[in-house]
Amino acid sequence: MNQLERKNKELSALLEVSMILGSSFDLEKNLFQSMKTLSDYLDMNRGTITLLDQNTSELRIVVSYGLTKEQLSRGKYRIGEGIVGRVVETGSPIVVPDIGKEPLFLNRTRSRIRKDNISFLCVPIKIKNEILGVLSVDRLFDETVYFEEDLRVLKIVATLVGQAIKLYQRFKEEQLKGQELTLELKGHYSLPNIVFVSERMQDIIKTCLKVANSRATVLLRGESGTGKELLAKAIHYESSRANGPFIAVNCAAIPENLLEAELFGYDKGAFTGAVVSKPGKFELADKGTIFLDEIGDLSIPLQAKILRVLQEQTFERLGGTKTINVDVRIIAATNRNLEEMVNKNIFREDLYWRLNVVPIFIPPLRERREDIPVLVDYFLKKFNKEYGKEISFDSKALERLILYSWPGNIRELVNTIERIVLLTENNIVLESDLPIFIKTEVKSDLLKKPQDSDSLTDEIKDIEKIRIIDALRRSDYNQSEAARILGITSRQIGYKIRKYGIELKKKRSTGKQ
């Protein structure tokens, strides 16, 4: 083999190994394929990865290409023992030109029967000054290949392997930390489906648990899709009212002319069609909790009635005269700026102060990105089980999910993961398999440098506004279609259009001129 052919094979092998190690978080499989690549391209046989256990100081072969399971199980060493142990001890590569003439070579795996003309190359796997283990290969002695060339290639591969191992360790630590924290909270506090690792969410959960057993009204603030109803349920089921009903009402989803009857009920004959009396949500929530979502969308007259329930725990049904007493704890939620609404006299100030006893601000997903990997893992397992699949994300795809701004927050993430699990044809989701809106956002020029914006918050707002404008343009300013493109609801896009003051152009005419 001439030098040019050798160089081409080296480059091909390094490229292949790099792609393999970045393909997924299945570390053992990736390391095995990498060792196979060295054998296929460069005739480096019996490639092994031996890792150091920091707790026991034992070296153990964890992956090998060319050894049987029995041979691999024998591959255990102490630091300083044999060639492998000496490489870990010194942190330097060792080359044995002929293993039959080297007393330090232990052949502990008992995989070499004929020792003549076999060279053994061993390089440390390390990141900065931390020794993680050893990469070793056999090769038939070849005078046309200098050991310096082999060592150069192996050092590069060892660096790639070391980076993959550290990334995998960090991923598993975060995953374990999230699982342990979730299990701890579920077991001790009974908070189902709340998955997180971020300190901000830990603080929020602590606050929820502190107020759970009080009668204090809680006001959950945050963007749509951040999990406000989930937290409201957690507060309810941690309280002394856990055996009572939990009634949720979305104040924005019910037409205003029906909402009063829905909340307070009505007596027979209260209006045309009221042939029987019907209790409202407040009556149904007696001895329990009522969750009023999107409370900022209430009309002023309904705000006055809610205020009375808060103050006196009494109300009358629509069309009725009898005063009804209830024992109800109110938890409210909104994504609107209530303070601004109070200043504009479209939200009652007295109701605001009654609701705002314990305000809890839930950050959007883009402000707690450390929660994204554990949320992805949680919902991936959920939908894999539901649809009988074994889908996983490779490292680059997961990185894209972490970088995406998630304007629809957890709700959008859940929908995205389910869609991917349903539609993907491969077990490993690559970066190229992700929905176009995720790839487009991260790749686009919309991600400015920090110095181009006054703050991270302003930068995120600019990105979100531009994405909404782009979606409206692509959908010919059809808000429902634009919302579908963005993966959010029509109500959410309507709110954001008002929030950012986006001008809605008229739809293009499709008729003949």
Side-chain angles (χ1 to χ4, degrees), residues 58 79 98 117 131 162-163 196 209 241 251 279 290 307 310 330 332 342 353 363 380 386 396 399 411 413 460:
E58 181 184 61
I79 294 176
D98 186 347
N117 294 326
I131 304 291
Q163 292 171 344
F196 61 89
L209 295 170
R241 298 172 177 267
C251 301
I290 188 167
L307 178 62
L310 277 167
I330 294 179
V342 169
W353 291 116
L380 194 59
E386 186 173 333
K396 290 185 178 178
E399 183 181 351
R411 188 181 295 123
L413 183 143
I460 291 169

Side-chain angles (χ1 to χ4, degrees), residues 243-510:
N243 293 326
F246 176 87
I247 304 294
V249 182
N250 189 323
C251 301
I254 303 172
E256 185 178 341
N257 60 334
L258 300 178
L259 185 56
E260 183 178 359
E262 187 74 16
L263 289 172
F264 303 107
Y266 53 84
D267 277 348
K268 180 180 177 180
F271 50 84
T272 303
V275 294
V276 294
S277 298
K278 180 184 176 182
K281 299 297 186 184
F282 275 100
E283 283 180 78
L284 297 176
D286 191 33
K287 302 295 188 297
T289 303
I290 188 167
F291 173 58
L292 301 177
D293 196 9
E294 307 295 356
I295 199 166
D297 289 33
L298 287 177
S299 65
I300 292 291
L302 275 178
Q303 290 176 31
K305 292 201 169 189
I306 298 292
L307 178 62
R308 182 185 172 191
V309 177
L310 277 167
Q311 290 175 332
E312 303 173 13
Q313 296 278 294
T314 61
F315 62 91
E316 287 86 32
R317 287 180 179 174
L318 191 66
T321 56
K322 179 184 175 182
T323 298
I324 298 172
N325 294 282
V326 288
D327 176 15
V328 174
R329 197 238 187 108
I330 294 179
I331 299 177
T334 185
N335 60 13
R336 302 186 68 177
N337 188 330
L338 294 185
E339 293 78 12
E340 184 178 313
M341 294 175 68
V342 169
N343 289 333
K344 292 181 178 179
N345 295 320
I346 53 177
F347 197 86
R348 292 179 62 115
E349 184 176 4
D350 46 6
L351 177 58
Y352 169 79
W353 291 116
R354 279 285 183 176
L355 292 172
N356 204 44
V357 177
V358 181
I360 297 176
F361 292 82
I362 307 171
L365 202 50
R366 62 180 174 271
E367 292 180 14
R368 49 184 179 103
R369 295 184 188 274
E370 61 268 45
D371 286 336
I372 294 175
V374 292
L375 284 166
V376 168
D377 183 66
Y378 176 83
F379 290 112
L380 194 59
K381 287 178 179 175
K382 177 180 183 291
F383 292 122
N384 272 337
K385 182 178 179 180
E386 186 173 333
Y387 297 114
K389 294 195 172 185
E390 295 181 359
I391 307 297
S392 63
F393 290 94
D394 82 336
S395 56
K396 290 185 178 178
L398 181 60
E399 183 181 351
R400 279 296 173 95
L401 295 177
I402 294 170
L403 289 173
Y404 180 57
S405 66
W406 298 108
N409 293 295
I410 296 176
R411 188 181 295 123
E412 182 186 5
L413 183 143
V414 174
N415 293 341
T416 300
I417 300 301
E418 183 174 16
R419 182 162 63 248
I420 289 172
V421 171
L422 272 171
L423 299 181
T424 190
E425 297 178 355
N426 302 312
N427 282 343
I428 297 176
V429 178
L430 304 177
E431 182 182 357
S432 57
D433 299 324
L434 295 176
I436 187 66
F437 59 86
I438 293 179
K439 294 183 291 186
T440 303
E441 181 188 63
V442 178
K443 285 183 176 179
S444 74
D445 294 329
L446 302 181
L447 294 177
K448 305 174 184 177
K449 295 179 181 178
Q451 59 265 32
D452 293 336
S453 182
D454 293 335
S455 68
L456 179 61
T457 302
D458 292 335
E459 184 180 345
I460 291 169
K461 287 179 179 178
D462 289 342
I463 294 170
E464 189 173 57
K465 181 178 178 180
I466 292 171
R467 284 207 61 213
I468 292 170
I469 292 172
D470 181 62
L472 287 167
R473 180 184 56 78
R474 288 161 55 194
S475 63
D476 196 19
Y477 291 87
N478 182 314
Q479 290 189 45
S480 297
E481 179 64 14
R484 188 192 63 77
I485 292 171
L486 294 168
I488 60 178
T489 66
S490 297
R491 185 177 56 78
Q492 286 173 324
I493 197 171
Y495 164 75
K496 291 180 185 295
I497 288 170
R498 295 192 301 272
K499 174 183 175 182
Y500 295 125
I502 297 172
E503 181 182 356
L504 291 175
K505 298 181 180 179
K506 294 182 179 179
K507 294 183 180 179
R508 293 190 293 270
S509 174
T510 56

